[in-house]
């Protein structure tokens, strides 16, 4: 991921009377939209989808199940399309995080 | 597509998902059924050091009943048409129910004593909302506090895709 594809969090806070501003990069999970702050000292490699190439969060089981290119589906208004890529989109967008939860709530995954 | 701003003006941070500070609901179908959050900014107005940890959450269930307070999203371009989605600033009635999901999409945490938190999405890094109805689940995100109840102000910039 190039730097210009990273989001940014800026936090300005008072510290002993002085305004201190900290900035750190973020990325958005390509499958579920969770925003992840990037620590500079992390050495473990981040998860990336082998199909769409997007960085993934490490919180949602459904993100690792299959490729769900959420932005591409959003641009095409295709969350309910009959395509393997949209298979998990309804469950992810309804807040499901595990396969079991998605099945329990009636999503076909 | 058109972008809109929704704001939070001097509101006490709410610590229950059932009564969030802001609830954004995509339209069930058609225009406004797919939204992208581009920016979120929150500023603290506490008069002494007060930590606050907000979360932007995709609920696992929600019902909006009673008479909730809505806020009309304001277009960034005055020529844009009115937004087709809905923003609630106060769900009010006890008939409303939001069950927070397990994963928070964004966790704005800062000292509300003059602190400012801003998140800017990268292109194609926006937070997507919407399920285009068809009975396939909720289509909302909620902003509420998981810790701290100071007064805060802020805004969302949302694109109607």
């Amino acid at each position: 991921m190039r730097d210009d594809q990273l989001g940014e969090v800026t936090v300005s806070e008072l510290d002993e009377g002085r305004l201190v501003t900290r900035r750190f990069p973020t990325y958005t999970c390509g499958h579920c939209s969770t925003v992840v702050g990037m620590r500079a000292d992390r050495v473990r490699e981040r998860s990336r989808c082998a199909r769409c190439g997007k960085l993934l969060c490490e919180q949602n089981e459904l993100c690792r199940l299959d490729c769900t290119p959420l932005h591409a589906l959003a641009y095409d208004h295709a969350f309910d399309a009959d395509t393997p890529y949209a298979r998990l989109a309804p469950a992810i967008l309804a807040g499901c995080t595990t396969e079991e939860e998605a099945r329990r709530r009636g999503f076909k995954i | 597509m058109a972008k809109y701003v929704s704001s939070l003006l001097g509101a006490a941070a709410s610590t229950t998902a059932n009564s969030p500070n802001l609830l954004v609901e995509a339209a069930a179908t058609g225009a406004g059924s797919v939204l992208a959050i581009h920016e979120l900014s929150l500023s603290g107005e506490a008069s002494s050091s007060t930590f606050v940890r907000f979360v932007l959450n995709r609920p696992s269930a929600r019902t909006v009943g009673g008479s909730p307070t809505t806020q009309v999203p304001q277009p960034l371009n005055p020529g844009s048409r009115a937004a087709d989605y809905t923003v609630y600033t106060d769900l009010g009635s006890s008939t409303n129910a939001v069950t927070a999901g397990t994963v928070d999409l964004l966790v704005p945490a800062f000292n509300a004593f003059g602190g400012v938190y801003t998140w800017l999405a990268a292109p194609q890094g926006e937070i997507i909302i919407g399920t285009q109805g068809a009975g396939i689940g909720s289509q909302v995100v909620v902003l509420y506090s998981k810790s701290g109840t100071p007064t805060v102000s802020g805004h969302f910039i949302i694109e109607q895709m």
Side-chain angles (χ1 to χ4, degrees):
Chain A
M1 177 172 269
R2 299 193 315 264
D3 279 353
D4 60 357
Q5 291 177 310
L6 294 176
E8 184 181 68
V9 163
T10 307
V11 183
S12 299
E13 291 172 319
L14 289 171
D15 183 6
E16 295 182 355
R18 292 184 309 117
L19 189 67
V20 176
T21 298
R22 291 175 289 132
R23 290 189 170 83
F24 52 93
T26 65
Y27 70 88
T28 306
C29 174
H31 291 177
C32 76
S33 283
T34 295
V35 177
V36 182
M38 301 179 81
R39 283 171 41 192
D41 59 348
R42 173 166 163 153
V43 290
R44 191 159 46 90
E45 193 153 349
R46 294 190 183 275
S47 305
R48 192 181 285 276
C49 176
R51 281 192 183 168
C52 68
K54 297 275 191 182
L55 286 168
L56 303 180
C57 70
E58 293 166 355
Q59 305 182 86
N60 192 333
E61 181 186 300
L62 295 178
C63 294
R64 290 162 176 267
L65 215 55
D66 208 344
C67 179
T68 309
L70 210 55
H71 282 86
L73 294 170
Y75 283 117
D76 291 344
H77 283 223
F79 296 137
D80 52 357
D82 186 18
T83 158
Y85 292 109
R87 182 171 67 97
L88 300 172
I92 289 172
L93 288 165
C96 296
T97 53
T98 64
E99 212 175 334
E100 188 272 329
E101 182 187 3
R103 287 190 205 286
R104 180 164 39 83
R105 290 175 58 190
F107 292 100
K108 293 175 186 169
I109 64 167
Chain B
M1 300 290 276
K3 290 180 184 168
Y4 302 84
V5 64
S6 296
S7 54
L8 203 62
L9 300 173
S14 167
T15 51
T16 54
N18 202 22
S19 178
N21 285 106
L22 219 58
L23 183 149
V24 180
E25 180 181 42
T29 54
S33 64
V34 181
L35 310 175
I37 301 178
H38 283 250
E39 178 180 321
L40 166 66
S41 183
L42 294 169
S43 310
E45 299 178 14
S47 55
S48 61
S49 188
T50 311
F51 186 75
V52 63
R53 182 168 69 238
F54 273 96
V55 292
L56 183 68
N57 186 282
R58 212 189 282 284
S60 58
R62 81 93 177 76
T63 309
V64 176
S67 46
T69 306
T70 57
Q71 182 188 84
V72 178
Q74 297 299 311
L76 293 184
N77 179 342
S80 296
R81 57 179 282 176
D84 295 289
Y85 62 94
T86 311
V87 172
Y88 299 96
T89 53
D90 182 9
L91 292 186
S93 164
S94 59
T95 57
N96 298 300
V98 172
T99 306
T102 313
V103 174
D104 297 317
L105 298 173
L106 181 65
V107 185
F110 59 101
N111 188 339
F113 182 40
V116 180
Y117 177 101
T118 305
W119 168 72
L120 299 172
Q124 296 194 25
E126 302 89 3
I127 294 172
I128 301 294
I129 315 169
T131 54
Q132 298 168 290
I136 52 177
S138 69
Q139 56 232 25
V140 304
V141 292
V142 291
L143 178 76
Y144 69 100
S145 166
K146 272 203 171 162
S147 175
T149 56
T151 300
V152 292
S153 293
H155 70 261
F156 274 102
I157 292 182
I158 297 176
E159 179 184 5
Q160 189 169 293
M161 298 176 78

